[in-house]
Amino acid sequence: MAHCSTNLALLHGTAWGLRFAEAYEEAGGVLAAAASARLYWQVRDALACSEEVRQVAQPWREAGRPELTAQAVEERLNGYVIALMNALG
């Protein structure tokens, strides 16, 4: 769930990434009972992605998403991480 959330945030924006866990559960998926555990994995995955964010942007552009420049994807990742950290309260 965490990795899909990160990819959705990079591809479509922060709101998509944040909404995925809820949509996953609505569709019958089972997540960790504690919200803090789910948040841990989301933050961990997003930070791990920061190492390769420039590499993932290139294939997405080649697949028809020219707006997903390395800078745009980095900005989306930063926004997503900030939103996750704000969820901590």
Side-chain angles (χ1 to χ4, degrees):
M1 180 281 302
H3 193 65
C4 289
S5 295
T6 299
N7 280 323
L8 284 168
L10 298 181
L11 284 164
H12 302 291
T14 298
W16 284 72
L18 296 174
R19 170 79 173 92
F20 182 72
E22 184 180 334
Y24 180 77
E25 282 188 303
E26 289 171 1
V30 178
L31 299 174
S36 61
R38 294 190 300 265
L39 185 57
Y40 167 81
W41 289 107
Q42 287 174 294
V43 170
R44 189 172 192 274
D45 186 78
L47 293 176
C49 183
S50 68
E51 298 283 329
E52 55 200 34
V53 72
R54 290 186 171 273
Q55 289 83 10
V56 300
Q58 180 65 34
W60 288 341
R61 283 194 308 280
E62 292 170 0
R65 298 290 304 272
E67 77 281 10
L68 294 176
T69 63
Q71 180 179 348
V73 174
E74 285 176 350
E75 288 171 3
R76 287 182 180 188
L77 180 61
N78 288 339
Y80 180 59
V81 170
I82 289 168
L84 291 173
M85 299 308 290
N86 286 338
L88 288 171

